[in-house]
Amino acid sequence: MELLQYTFFQHALIGSLLASIVCGIIGTYIVTRRLVFISGGLTHASFGGIGLGLYAGISPILSAAVFSVLSAFGVEWLSKRKDMREDSAIAVFWTLGMALGIIFTFLSPGFAPDLSAYLFGNILTITFGDIALLGGLAALLILFFSFFLHPIIYVAFDREFARSQGIPVQTFEYVLMMFIALTIVACLRMVGIVLVISLLTIPQMTANLFSHRFHRIIWLSVGIGYLSCLGGLLISYYLNVPSGAAIIFFSIIIYAICKGGKSFWLSFLYEKIKITPVFMAPLLSLWC
């Protein structure tokens, strides 16, 4: 394929793989803990860091990373207070980040910066620095989840049980929130602020159709995420549409096909082979 001769496409393939690994790992925790709304808040809060970076003349990705991590810690801290609901804490940082981003962007000296790369992303423009960031984050996540997989599962499914086992739940929650924030920032150049939350949830939702085991969902999510990126790249190339939107569109197509295929298969087992729900449950448990 002649596209493989181009450096930007090679970067896109490597970046897609690393982003799929990162999103597959931390996205499984997000879906399991039902933190999708929090992740959406952090995604939009990162815009404040981008605006601050443009205004101060520093790397927008670096400032977005710092701003997102601080916002993640802020959401976690406020949500633990008795006088603040979790959704209210998310709304505070969501709107604060967007407001500061707009203000600092308009105050930035010189020409008005082009924010489309950060809002909608373009995987074909990622640099070696973006790949290095994704690679470093992927290595950290693999090591962290390899060493602490069982405590993470306990925290994700039952925090009270985790506390009863002597696990420092609050420490794990803060560290995992930091990883969520860093993952969001690392993927901004690929799919943008508007769509990055989809990359953290849709492959995991698809994987959850076939398994309910935490580690299997991670592996399936990585594969589905990478397939979505490859399909989105091809759609972007042949239809000349934004790559970020094409990746998310293709991931939704995969989810719809898998959801429909599973429903059809279960209906076939029940109607044609006359497998009753009583016997179907053990079969599903073996598959999952």
Side-chain angles (χ1 to χ4, degrees):
M1 188 176 181
E2 62 179 17
L3 279 176
L4 295 175
Q5 301 174 2
Y6 299 104
T7 303
F8 71 89
F9 196 77
Q10 296 171 3
H11 285 177
L13 292 177
I14 298 172
S16 298
L17 177 60
L18 294 174
S20 299
I21 294 172
V22 169
C23 293
I25 295 174
I26 200 65
T28 301
Y29 173 76
I30 290 173
V31 173
T32 304
R33 270 287 311 275
R34 300 180 181 180
L35 297 177
V36 176
F37 188 48
I38 291 180
S39 303
L42 295 179
T43 301
H44 289 79
S46 66
F47 188 61
I50 292 174
L52 183 60
L54 293 172
Y55 177 76
I58 60 177
S59 170
I61 296 297
L62 176 61
S63 57
V66 174
F67 198 90
S68 296
V69 171
L70 293 177
S71 297
F73 290 164
V75 169
E76 191 67 24
W77 179 73
L78 284 178
S79 62
K80 294 294 187 292
R81 294 172 59 90
K82 295 182 180 179
D83 58 347
M84 175 73 75
R85 286 169 40 184
E86 187 176 63
D87 56 346
S88 300
I90 298 168
V92 168
F93 286 94
W94 184 318
T95 54
L96 175 64
M98 293 299 293
L100 290 178
I102 294 171
I103 290 172
F104 281 117
T105 298
F106 275 88
L107 291 177
S108 299
F111 294 102
D114 181 17
L115 297 177
S116 60
Y118 299 104
L119 291 175
F120 306 106
N122 188 351
I123 193 173
L124 297 177
T125 63
I126 62 173
T127 62
F128 181 78
D130 298 320
I131 294 175
L133 175 61
L134 283 168
L137 184 57
L140 286 175
L141 280 170
I142 290 172
L143 288 174
F144 185 75
F145 273 70
S146 297
F147 283 112
F148 302 108
L149 181 61
H150 291 296
I152 291 170
I153 293 176
Y154 295 153
V155 172
F157 284 98
D158 193 339
R159 282 175 284 179
E160 295 304 320
F161 175 76
R163 288 190 180 95
S164 70
Q165 300 300 306
I167 297 173
V169 174
Q170 192 169 20
T171 301
F172 272 98
E173 287 179 337
Y174 273 99
V175 172
L176 288 165
M177 287 292 284
M178 178 191 70
F179 277 128
I180 292 173
L182 292 177
T183 300
I184 288 170
V185 173
C187 295
L188 286 182
R189 295 289 295 272
M190 284 187 56
V191 292
I193 291 174
V194 178
L195 299 171
V196 69
I197 190 61
S198 301
L199 203 60
L200 289 166
T201 56
I202 295 175
Q204 289 72 22
M205 291 166 56
T206 307
N208 201 25
L209 294 172
F210 304 102
S211 179
H212 298 291
R213 298 181 183 273
F214 195 88
H215 65 283
R216 288 186 183 177
I217 293 177
I218 290 177
W219 285 108
L220 287 172
S221 298
V222 171
I224 294 169
Y226 192 49
L227 179 62
S228 300
C229 291
L230 295 179
L233 281 172
L234 292 177
I235 292 175
S236 174
Y237 174 74
Y238 286 109
L239 298 183
N240 195 25
V241 295
S243 57
I247 290 171
I248 302 306
F249 173 76
F250 194 73
S251 68
I252 294 175
I253 294 296
I254 293 176
Y255 173 77
I257 292 173
C258 292
K259 180 71 172 178
K262 182 180 179 181
S263 298
F264 175 80
W265 176 246
L266 293 178
S267 176
F268 174 78
L269 290 178
Y270 180 68
E271 296 292 338
K272 302 298 182 183
I273 309 180
K274 301 300 180 182
I275 296 181
T276 63
V278 174
F279 295 103
M280 194 177 295
L283 290 175
L284 290 176
S285 65
L286 288 175
W287 170 254
C288 296

